[in-house]
Amino acid sequence: DGGITQSPKYLFRKEGQNVTLSCEQNLNHDAMYWYRQDPGQGLRLIYYSQIVNDFQKGDIAEGYSVSREKKESFPLTVTSAQKNPTAFYLCASSPRTGGANVLTFGAGSRLTVL
Amino acid sequence: SQQGEEDPQALSIQEGENATMNCSYKTSINNLQWYRQNSGRGLVHLILIRSNEREKHSGRLRVTLDTSKKSSSLLITASRAADTASYFCATDEAGSYQLTFGKGTKLSVIP
């Protein structure tokens, strides 16, 4: 079955540590996205990528980094510079970068800073 | 970036009743979409309505769009306990393909 796989589902981090969240898709989608979800605040865009080796900052990119070395993969690193990293992180992909942009989401990764 | 706002924030109904959620947005859009999220899971796309459409149906879902009022509504008819979830509207502004999500309506359907 085609879809998006995020791992790990749960992750605990000590303050000052970097952590990387994995996102893999086998849908052959060109575009991939990372969103952060906090209670009562909906989804906020962190980074997105339209094509391999290219990505752009979203609304809340500070303290995060990404790479897009392969079409299937778009890992997100939460760095120690992110002041409040505890949140639910959602990866998504879409087949087009223009027109109707329907997203397919992964199941999410919940990061807790201890 | 602009964000859609859903109303109400929470809604509790009995099974079999209809549920109506509303979404307002601020700027011109290409399309408006509705997504559903079960607790602790990813979002699932439900329906898309284009800016030149006024109403769209999909099974028990009915979506309307009023571009003059910059608002949309999602109606779920004959609700079921399995419809319990959060529902989000998402818009892509004219000239952009990025989606902007609202804060969601949390629907509880009581058996």
Side-chain angles (χ1 to χ4, degrees):
Chain A
D1 289 334
I4 297 180
T5 301
Q6 289 188 240
S7 63
K9 188 171 177 62
Y10 299 97
L11 185 61
F12 298 90
R13 179 192 109 174
K14 293 181 180 179
E15 284 193 22
Q17 288 182 334
N18 294 353
V19 294
T20 297
L21 307 180
S22 170
C23 178
E24 303 278 334
Q25 55 102 354
N26 61 2
L27 300 166
N28 199 33
H29 284 175
D30 290 315
M32 297 187 74
Y33 309 81
W34 275 105
Y35 288 90
R36 170 178 172 145
Q37 186 176 30
D38 295 280
Q41 292 197 39
L43 277 69
R44 291 183 289 170
L45 182 63
I46 305 172
Y47 268 99
Y48 62 98
S49 168
Q50 303 177 59
I51 195 170
V52 173
N53 293 323
D54 186 48
F55 48 83
Q56 287 80 40
K57 294 181 179 179
D59 300 320
I60 56 165
E62 185 175 353
Y64 300 97
S65 65
V66 294
S67 63
R68 186 87 186 274
E69 298 177 0
K70 299 187 300 181
K71 186 176 185 178
E72 303 79 16
S73 179
F74 192 41
L76 174 74
T77 296
V78 184
T79 75
S80 57
Q82 171 49 236
K83 299 304 179 187
N84 185 22
T86 294
F88 190 51
Y89 291 89
L90 288 160
C91 179
S93 69
S94 66
R96 316 175 47 167
T97 56
N101 194 22
V102 176
L103 301 186
T104 300
F105 281 85
S109 292
R110 187 169 297 280
L111 171 63
T112 302
V113 173
L114 303 175
Chain B
S1 59
Q2 68 98 14
Q3 186 177 52
E5 290 287 338
E6 288 92 342
D7 170 61
Q9 291 186 349
L11 178 63
S12 183
I13 61 174
Q14 296 288 334
E15 202 166 29
E17 294 181 338
N18 295 342
T20 300
M21 289 158 266
N22 303 296
C23 170
S24 60
Y25 56 92
K26 298 176 183 174
T27 64
S28 296
I29 61 171
N30 296 319
N31 309 284
L32 186 143
Q33 303 178 44
W34 285 90
Y35 288 79
R36 164 193 169 129
Q37 182 181 35
N38 286 64
S39 182
R41 305 299 300 268
L43 280 71
V44 175
H45 179 257
L46 293 175
I47 195 166
L48 177 149
I49 187 165
R50 300 184 190 281
S51 59
N52 61 354
E53 298 177 310
R54 292 298 167 257
E55 187 171 314
K56 203 161 184 180
H57 297 255
S58 177
R60 293 185 296 113
L61 304 181
R62 172 179 171 252
V63 170
T64 61
L65 179 64
D66 187 334
T67 53
S68 67
K69 295 182 179 179
K70 292 185 171 59
S71 67
S72 173
S73 67
L74 171 67
L75 169 66
I76 304 174
T77 61
S79 63
R80 306 166 181 169
D83 294 328
T84 294
S86 292
Y87 293 82
F88 294 86
C89 68
T91 56
D92 52 346
E93 299 176 46
S96 170
Y97 62 87
Q98 283 189 45
L99 288 186
T100 303
F101 288 82
K103 296 181 180 180
T105 291
K106 188 172 185 178
L107 173 66
S108 299
V109 181
I110 304 167

